[in-house]
Amino acid sequence: RNYECYLKPVSSCKPNGEGSRFTGLKTERGRQKIKSTELVPKVFKALLKCSGYPSLYWVKWWRAQATAFLLRPNKETALELQRFREEHLVGHMQAGVLGCYVRHGDKYYEATEYPLKDYLRIFSWILDDKVITSCPRSAEFLEPFKAQLPNLQSTHRIYLGSDDAAVLEEAKSSFDMIYVNVSRLSKRMSLMKVSKKLGAKQVVMESLLNLELLMESDAFICTWTSNWCRLVDEMRMTVAMKATYLSLEVNKHCPRFNWVHGKGAETPDFR
């Protein structure tokens, strides 16, 4: 089964081939490319112009809104997800939890893989006020979130999701950790093979529970090269109403904030 079985219908309408069509493409050097701002419905453009965000980031805002609408679990899924949570969640979610997803698995073949020690360095920066030596302005970067830090530092708890069983075992010795107790297969196994091994329903429930717990977290650490991490970030900004909360990407030098921080400005990376 596909995800449509678990989510609310997108629309009650049936396509008939009539009506307006997508025209957000441009030809550049003989190739078609998507026009980023043309993807945003016109009805929102006046609002976005007043927002102060650069037009380059409008499509990111719209994608977050569309994601929030599309990813709405139906009643049956919500009930099953609650049962799954009660059976598999280890630890108790509460205010002040720092959420993190360590994406390893088959992502190794297309993006940089960060070991747990790189995440631990950021955890210590946030939870223990330890300066990141490779990032001269690390203390300054936390200033906008200063009011949120005492809550995170007082609980000192982490929700950790990962497709790598070794990551969870290593992290347990360092922090008071919350995690989902499920089977994790070979580190380099593709997602398609994982789905065949575990079954579609199991994979969907694990994904939705992981998403739910990361949305509940009061801070979020991930990698923006992962589509899953971007989806979580978009759901946090919309459904969870946490656009102003700490959300950043692990990095060998300075952590990078998501596109909301600084009205789309990227965090400097000191190399």
Side-chain angles (χ1 to χ4, degrees):
R1 291 192 174 190
N2 56 34
Y3 273 90
E4 291 181 358
C5 300
Y6 302 92
L7 305 176
K8 292 180 179 179
V10 175
S11 173
S12 59
C13 299
K14 293 183 178 180
N16 57 13
E18 300 179 358
S20 58
R21 294 178 179 275
F22 173 75
T23 59
L25 294 173
K26 64 179 178 179
T27 301
E28 186 176 294
R29 296 183 180 180
R31 295 184 179 182
Q32 285 189 324
K33 289 190 174 182
I34 295 175
K35 297 178 182 177
S36 60
T37 54
E38 294 300 319
L39 291 173
V40 181
K42 290 182 179 179
V43 68
F44 296 119
K45 289 189 176 180
L47 171 68
L48 289 166
K49 285 179 181 178
C50 294
S51 71
Y53 280 101
S55 60
L56 178 64
Y57 291 90
W58 292 2
V59 67
K60 297 177 184 288
W61 175 88
W62 170 241
R63 187 176 63 185
Q65 309 308 314
T67 298
F69 174 75
L70 293 171
L71 203 58
R72 296 170 297 147
N74 58 36
K75 182 179 179 181
E76 293 76 16
T77 300
L79 291 172
E80 180 65 17
L81 184 60
Q82 181 59 36
R83 182 195 65 79
F84 192 83
R85 177 171 178 154
E86 292 171 357
E87 291 181 359
H88 296 282
L89 181 62
V90 177
H92 176 65
M93 290 295 290
Q94 63 188 69
V97 170
L98 190 158
C100 173
Y101 191 80
V102 180
R103 178 73 165 95
H104 282 178
D106 60 340
K107 194 67 178 179
Y108 170 83
Y109 299 108
E110 61 182 46
T112 300
E113 179 178 285
Y114 292 95
L116 180 63
K117 67 179 182 180
D118 290 335
Y119 292 85
L120 295 178
R121 183 169 58 97
I122 295 179
F123 296 163
S124 295
W125 172 48
I126 296 171
L127 302 179
D128 301 320
D129 288 325
K130 290 186 178 179
V131 175
I132 300 178
T133 55
S134 60
C135 183
R137 295 170 57 197
S138 59
E140 178 186 334
F141 289 157
L142 287 179
E143 277 299 314
F145 311 99
K146 197 171 183 178
Q148 300 171 21
L149 297 182
N151 201 23
L152 293 167
Q153 293 171 346
S154 63
T155 56
H156 222 267
R157 301 197 78 192
I158 291 174
Y159 166 70
L160 180 60
S162 180
D163 47 14
D164 185 352
V167 165
L168 294 171
E169 291 303 315
E170 184 181 351
K172 287 177 184 178
S173 62
S174 302
F175 288 93
D176 182 6
M177 202 175 74
I178 305 164
Y179 63 98
V180 177
N181 187 21
V182 292
S183 297
R184 290 174 173 83
L185 304 178
S186 172
K187 181 177 179 179
R188 301 299 180 209
M189 187 175 290
S190 70
L191 294 179
M192 294 300 291
K193 288 183 179 180
V194 170
S195 182
K196 287 182 180 180
K197 285 276 188 180
L198 299 179
K201 181 181 176 182
Q202 178 73 15
V203 172
V204 170
M205 287 296 110
E206 287 182 18
S207 298
L208 291 178
L209 179 55
N210 182 49
L211 172 62
E212 182 176 82
L213 296 170
L214 289 170
M215 288 170 62
E216 291 176 13
S217 301
D218 283 338
F220 179 50
I221 315 297
C222 211
T223 50
W224 305 144
T225 53
S226 165
N227 289 324
W228 176 253
C229 289
R230 288 180 178 269
L231 183 145
V232 171
D233 202 43
E234 289 164 352
M235 292 293 284
R236 284 174 56 83
M237 289 188 282
T238 51
V239 178
M241 297 185 290
K242 293 182 176 178
T244 58
Y245 283 59
L246 183 62
S247 180
L248 50 84
E249 177 184 45
V250 65
N251 193 283
K252 291 290 186 182
H253 304 277
C254 285
R256 293 177 180 271
F257 292 99
N258 65 14
W259 60 273
V260 170
H261 177 72
K263 296 186 177 180
E266 186 178 41
T267 306
D269 183 12
F270 296 92
R271 294 189 182 278

